[in-house]
Amino acid sequence: MGIIMDGNGRWALARGLPRVAGHRAGVAAVGRVVEAAPGAGIGVLTLFAFSSDNWRRPRAEVDALMRMLGSYLEKELGRCLEKGVRLEAIGRRDRLAPGLCRAIAQAERATASATNLWLRIAIDYSGRDAILAAARGIAHLSRESLELALGPPVDLLIRTGGERRLSDFLLWESAYAELVFSQRMWPDFSPEDLAAAVREFRGRERRFGAVPEIAMRRQEAWLD
Ligand code: IPE
Ligand code: IPE
Ligand code: MG
């Protein structure tokens, strides 16, 4: 599943705090959600942490976000190893600070064989660019080879913060994703909210273009 973690800035604004305080609270929410994910039946969790368009933000905010990402990876590495979490970063690396790249590489190397949860953090990520980059690296382009290069299909896609858009996240992978839009600002998103979204997902009928069960039965009865 994927989460577009949105609303940190508005969370802070509502409390008269600087936007960066919202991002700090957002990191704490990440910790709680990652901890709860395996118990909620989640195998793959892709978190949208920094989009390629987020470079447009003020320099101070970008710098703070980058520092937080680096320290998250360093601080959480031990806990990830302990909990069997495989860490991976998706997105461009060539515009990231060398220190952050090293933290990513170290976390990926150390957790490569963990199997409880596959945690993918999207940093300097653009869905359109990811599709382009994957396609450019494939000699025999097919739906299957592209899918393999990009990553697993998304079953459930959550966006917090009340907006109803994808903002260039996992475009190919979300072709048949169930979308859940939450009014909660990301720092307030709790394990209970995660469980509620999973419950909502489980209650939906996924048809992948086929006919629904009931319609199928009706059709059969009519043909009989
Ligand atoms: C999401 O929160 C975090 C990032 C995009 C890095 P925002 O910073 O977008 O928060 P809002 O949408 O301004 O409230
Ligand atoms: C999407 O949120 C990116 C992340 C959550 C990292 P934004 O806040 O950047 O998206 P827009 O600008 O509202 O579309
Ligand atoms: Mg936002």
Side-chain angles (χ1 to χ4, degrees):
M1 68 168 283
I3 306 183
I4 301 174
M5 308 183 291
D6 196 22
N8 294 352
R10 278 163 286 162
W11 182 92
L13 196 72
R15 287 159 181 76
L17 298 168
R19 292 179 59 85
V20 171
H23 296 314
R24 212 170 295 123
V27 174
V30 169
R32 293 191 291 270
V33 165
V34 168
E35 178 98 28
I42 294 158
V44 184
L45 176 59
T46 307
L47 299 175
F48 205 3
F50 189 91
S51 82
S52 294
D53 291 320
N54 289 148
W55 293 113
R56 294 180 179 158
R57 296 187 178 203
R59 179 72 194 271
E61 181 174 345
V62 168
D63 287 349
L65 278 165
M66 289 295 156
R67 268 198 308 276
M68 279 180 212
L69 285 165
S71 68
Y72 173 83
L73 290 169
E74 278 162 14
K75 273 196 220 135
E76 292 297 303
L77 182 54
R79 201 138 61 117
C80 286
L81 282 168
E82 204 178 289
K83 302 263 173 192
V85 176
R86 173 183 166 196
L87 265 169
E88 186 196 7
I90 59 168
R92 283 177 66 163
R93 304 260 169 115
D94 59 306
R95 297 188 288 197
L96 304 182
L100 179 54
C101 287
R102 274 196 300 276
I104 290 171
Q106 195 199 356
E108 288 183 338
R109 217 177 313 114
T111 63
S113 56
T115 53
N116 269 354
L117 174 70
W118 182 9
L119 177 62
R120 303 163 82 222
I121 303 183
I123 305 172
D124 194 359
Y125 176 87
S126 147
R128 288 168 297 178
D129 288 349
I131 294 166
L132 270 177
R136 285 192 180 120
I138 296 170
H140 300 287
L141 197 56
S142 67
R143 198 189 260 206
E144 289 72 26
S145 60
L146 194 55
E147 241 153 47
L148 210 64
L150 286 171
V154 174
D155 290 317
L156 167 60
L157 180 62
I158 300 171
R159 182 175 185 138
T160 63
E163 311 291 359
R164 294 170 173 239
R165 53 177 171 258
L166 298 180
S167 301
D168 208 4
F169 188 50
L170 299 175
L171 296 179
W172 176 287
E173 296 90 324
S174 297
Y176 272 101
E178 294 296 331
L179 308 178
V180 171
F181 297 105
S182 165
Q183 290 301 321
R184 280 252 205 285
M185 298 298 134
W186 173 251
D188 289 331
F189 194 79
S190 67
E192 291 71 39
D193 295 319
L194 180 73
V198 170
R199 262 198 311 280
E200 157 126 30
F201 168 79
R202 299 244 179 260
R204 293 200 192 165
E205 184 183 46
R206 305 186 78 195
R207 296 197 282 273
F208 300 98
V211 278
E213 275 286 295
I214 288 172
M216 208 143 33
R217 256 183 257 126
R218 236 185 252 137
Q219 201 180 25
E220 280 160 9
W222 188 66
L223 278 173
D224 275 348

